[in-house]
Amino acid sequence: MNNDNQTKLHKALADNNRLKILELLLENNYCVGALSKHVGVSKAAISQHLKILREAGLVWGEKRGYFTHYIVNTDILTKLAQQLIKLSEISQQDKSTKCKHQQNCHKKDNEC
């Protein structure tokens, strides 16, 4: 996953309505109208949120008759979870690697 895709992914997840849409879609595949009722926003707003989620690679649509039902790309969510776990492990590494000048780190002209 390159940096541009990663940025789109994080921005797509940085909205409560989009997170709610993802939660709903993980439970069931819904069309825009059903998502609108469950989330409590207009169909137009849901369409805009889905566009952002699609561009981030988080969802795709599957045409069923007159309606498009949306499905979550769980592979992307798994990759993101793995990246976040790696980040959390960095902070858990040996605490002995702390800056030797820790007491001065926050002073204006000192660097570690």
Side-chain angles (χ1 to χ4, degrees), residues 96-110:
S96 66
T97 60
K98 284 186 179 178
C99 174
K100 295 174 189 173
H101 309 287
Q102 188 173 5
Q103 68 275 10
N104 295 324
C105 281
H106 298 289
K107 291 187 179 176
K108 192 172 188 176
D109 297 319
N110 292 342

Side-chain angles (χ1 to χ4, degrees), residues 65-84:
Y66 293 109
F67 302 101
T68 300
H69 288 252
Y70 290 90
I71 302 159
V72 177
N73 182 349
T74 55
D75 290 342
I76 294 288
L77 288 179
T78 301
K79 286 178 185 177
L80 175 62
Q82 290 168 345
Q83 287 176 339
L84 292 173

